[in-house]
Amino acid sequence: MSLVSPSGQPLYQQLAESFAEAIHQGTLKPGKRLPAIRRVAQSHQVSVNTVLNAWQMLEDRGLIEARPQSGYYVRGVLPAVIRHGEHKTRVRDPGSSKLDLIDKVFAAQNHPDYINISLACPQDSELFPAARIARITASLLRRHPGIIGRYALPPGSERLREEIARRALHAGQTLTADEITLTHGCMEALQLALRAVTQPGDCVGLESPTYFFLFPLLASLGLRALEIPTDPQRGLSLDALEMLLQEQRIQALIAMPGVQNPLGCSMSLENKKRLAELVNTYHVPLIEDGLYDELQFDWPLSPPVKAFDRDGWIIYCTSFTKTVAPDFRIGWTAAGRFHDAIARLKAVSSMAESALLSETLAEFLASGGYDHHLRTLRRRYAANLDEARGLIARYFPAGTRATLPRGGFVFWVELPGGVNTTGMFDRLLQEKICVTPGALYSLSERYNHALRLSCCYPFDTRYTQAIKRAGEIACELAGLPAGEDQGVPLRPQTV
């Protein structure tokens, strides 16, 4: 079989991706010997050097290892995180101690002297098309020098909204430019959505675990939270949600059905359709956070729940901060029946987004450069996740579990031995290493043994040493040795 790539990807990368997928799917199991290098070269019609380069790439990603006088073998890897039974759903308010911990972690994440292995803000300049964006911006200023001398008024750049609508069509959403509201990042989109569909005292359903900044956001709006069990492989429990909807216990729902933060899991297409049907049947708004949807690894991309919205009860929120340029802070929302309310709130909140930045982004989307950039990002993050998980398997305590996301760049790690990761966070902070303890991702104490880690940084000596040191402290706290080879398939299995 010969390798052919329309994307222009080097042959050794194509070969490495092919074998990586076989490992992920369990076709090549831990401990299995890979075929001889010359045999692989002949069967794929490539050179021996191409195979060697592919094997080196898989070694770097922690998927295979060389054994002297024996050949290459699939490495033992981390077992999957499993669901820990049903938990009682109880309405909660974010306490001051929880909000204080969020502030403490956020301050550490933003400290310039700390090595960060948890913040979900890409720090590698190679992850953004900075040069291309700079050229487009400069060209716009030369052609339209008056653009920075005018106010950007609502509803904002029509060209950008048209480009967003065009891209949404490929994801199964039929939108017009007039149905889209530009926002200052995804967080403003979420805030506007909550303000449009709730009032102080209302209860909002959340995934558990969930993105921790939702807690201070809800508190600022006088809203209460009810956590809903979320499977680390399949996403939000729709059976639990349906019961809550029947009992009228929530007035709105926030969820990430695409690529969930912090677990990285993705809902099946069947479950997305069921979720859309539930919220439309019970007339409870779903605020769908699609921040990582365009970073799904599987192709074609799975459509958002919004694509199956029958009567406009789903508010889709996302932004370009994770994919194009974090400093642009340009997001958008398609709010269905709540469009007019959100558009009015946006106008009195922050008017409109920068015309220069909006037109720059619109031109970048129209040029086709964005799709090429996304393909590069997906490959890079998939490789980074493999490598980061390999480091966890090598340095963290035996029995450590981790999710294997199918998109994005964050993943969830659960530690054995009664380790309290808030204490681990404090220990590492003394050495200027920052992780994010699992206690942040729930209003209960359910995830005190967990961490969220991120792999959107350069995989240099500083990053790998920080992972190693975190693992050493985890081993010390757990009273367990490091688990170099745990012998479980990399792909999470159905539980």
Side-chain angles (χ1 to χ4, degrees):
M1 178 184 71
S2 62
L3 296 171
V4 179
S5 174
S7 66
Q9 190 180 10
L11 288 176
Y12 76 91
Q13 289 187 14
Q14 295 177 56
L15 185 62
E17 293 295 343
S18 174
F19 274 83
E21 188 60 23
I23 293 170
H24 291 330
Q25 292 179 346
T27 305
L28 292 173
K29 298 184 182 301
K32 182 178 178 61
R33 186 178 186 274
L34 295 183
I37 290 174
R38 291 190 182 278
R39 181 179 170 189
V40 174
Q42 291 172 356
S43 62
H44 289 81
Q45 299 177 29
V46 296
S47 69
V48 168
N49 282 338
T50 296
V51 180
L52 287 171
N53 287 333
W55 274 201
Q56 180 63 57
M57 186 175 181
L58 292 172
E59 269 196 295
D60 292 342
R61 289 168 63 169
L63 297 180
I64 67 172
E65 61 185 355
R67 296 181 184 175
Q69 310 300 318
S70 183
Y72 288 87
Y73 290 78
V74 179
R75 288 192 58 194
V77 287
L78 290 167
V81 173
I82 60 175
R83 185 169 170 177
H84 301 289
E86 295 293 339
H87 60 261
K88 293 182 179 180
T89 53
R90 185 159 65 90
V91 175
R92 301 173 186 267
D93 295 305
S96 59
S97 60
K98 184 72 64 176
L99 298 178
D100 288 345
L101 179 59
I102 290 173
D103 289 342
K104 181 179 180 181
V105 172
F106 190 61
Q109 287 179 332
N110 283 281
H111 198 294
D113 295 334
Y114 290 0
I115 303 171
N116 206 315
I117 56 177
S118 64
L119 183 65
C121 295
Q123 303 292 306
D124 190 339
S125 60
E126 294 182 3
L127 298 174
F128 298 109
R132 180 75 178 273
I133 293 294
R135 287 194 298 270
I136 293 173
T137 306
S139 174
L140 278 170
L141 284 171
R142 284 195 303 271
R143 291 181 282 127
H144 307 286
I147 195 171
I148 59 173
R150 298 191 301 268
Y151 277 107
L153 298 176
S157 168
E158 182 176 13
R159 188 184 181 199
L160 177 54
R161 288 183 288 116
E162 287 175 345
E163 285 299 323
I164 290 171
R166 179 182 63 81
R167 293 192 62 80
L169 187 61
H170 299 305
Q173 299 189 67
T174 304
L175 300 173
T176 66
D178 291 338
E179 295 175 290
I180 293 167
T181 300
L182 300 181
T183 63
H184 196 64
C186 193
M187 277 301 291
E188 187 186 41
L190 296 174
Q191 182 196 74
L192 294 174
L194 283 168
R195 290 171 62 191
V197 303
T198 64
Q199 54 188 353
D202 279 354
C203 183
V204 178
L206 301 176
E207 296 163 308
S208 180
T210 192
Y211 174 51
F212 62 82
F213 259 116
L214 292 180
F215 300 136
L217 175 57
L218 293 180
S220 72
L221 297 174
L223 300 171
R224 299 174 299 157
L226 196 155
E227 297 180 68
I228 304 172
T230 302
D231 188 275
Q233 298 164 32
R234 295 185 289 269
L236 185 71
S237 170
L238 297 184
D239 291 339
L241 172 63
E242 185 168 15
M243 184 180 300
L244 295 173
L245 293 174
Q246 290 172 347
E247 297 172 355
Q248 300 181 351
R249 295 181 62 189
I250 60 174
Q251 284 70 57
L253 170 69
I254 301 178
M256 300 183 77
V259 180
Q260 202 259 9
N261 176 10
L263 295 174
C265 58
S266 298
M267 268 190 173
S268 68
L269 192 62
E270 179 183 356
N271 281 352
K272 287 181 177 181
K273 291 177 180 179
R274 183 184 171 196
L275 176 55
E277 183 63 27
L278 283 173
V279 297
N280 276 274
T281 297
Y282 289 95
H283 296 176
V284 172
L286 164 62
I287 301 171
E288 182 179 9
D289 184 345
L291 188 59
Y292 297 93
D293 281 2
E294 290 197 298
L295 292 177
Q296 297 175 70
F297 300 150
D298 295 321
W299 188 263
L301 302 182
S302 176
V305 179
K306 178 66 177 174
F308 310 107
D309 190 10
R310 186 180 69 231
D311 298 321
W313 287 94
I314 299 173
I315 304 172
Y316 187 76
C317 303
T318 189
S319 90
F320 296 95
T321 56
K322 303 297 185 186
T323 55
V324 179
D327 194 50
F328 272 33
R329 301 300 302 165
I330 294 178
W332 61 275
T333 180
R337 62 175 56 235
F338 305 103
H339 170 78
D340 291 345
I342 285 180
R344 285 193 295 269
L345 287 168
K346 170 62 180 176
V348 299
S349 173
S350 55
M351 293 293 284
E353 298 310 304
S354 160
L356 176 61
L357 299 185
S358 296
E359 294 301 321
T360 297
L361 182 54
E363 190 155 326
F364 180 57
L365 298 182
S367 70
Y370 186 46
D371 289 304
H372 174 77
H373 170 63
L374 284 175
R375 287 193 293 270
T376 302
L377 274 188
R378 292 175 191 128
R379 288 196 299 267
R380 175 73 178 275
Y381 286 139
N384 282 3
L385 280 165
D386 283 344
E387 188 169 350
R389 285 170 48 86
L391 293 170
I392 298 296
R394 186 175 305 137
Y395 297 122
F396 274 59
T400 297
R401 294 178 174 271
T403 56
L404 179 63
R406 294 306 298 165
F409 46 75
V410 298
F411 64 108
W412 186 251
V413 178
E414 293 188 353
L415 301 176
V419 175
N420 186 310
T421 53
T422 301
M424 183 177 167
F425 161 77
D426 289 329
R427 284 277 304 272
L428 286 166
L429 216 56
Q430 297 173 16
E431 301 184 30
K432 297 185 176 181
I433 298 171
C434 184
V435 297
T436 311
L440 261 65
Y441 297 91
S442 172
L443 296 178
S444 71
E445 304 306 314
R446 191 174 295 113
Y447 305 113
N448 287 351
H449 65 304
L451 294 168
R452 187 194 73 178
L453 295 180
S454 179
C455 37
C456 54
Y457 308 99
F459 273 63
D460 53 18
T461 302
R462 294 178 78 244
Y463 182 87
T464 55
Q465 286 299 316
I467 289 279
K468 180 179 180 181
R469 184 59 186 142
E472 290 171 348
I473 290 179
C475 289
E476 178 187 333
L477 294 174
L480 294 168
E484 177 96 26
D485 187 345
Q486 302 187 52
V488 179
L490 184 61
R491 169 78 68 187
Q493 305 298 299
T494 300
V495 178

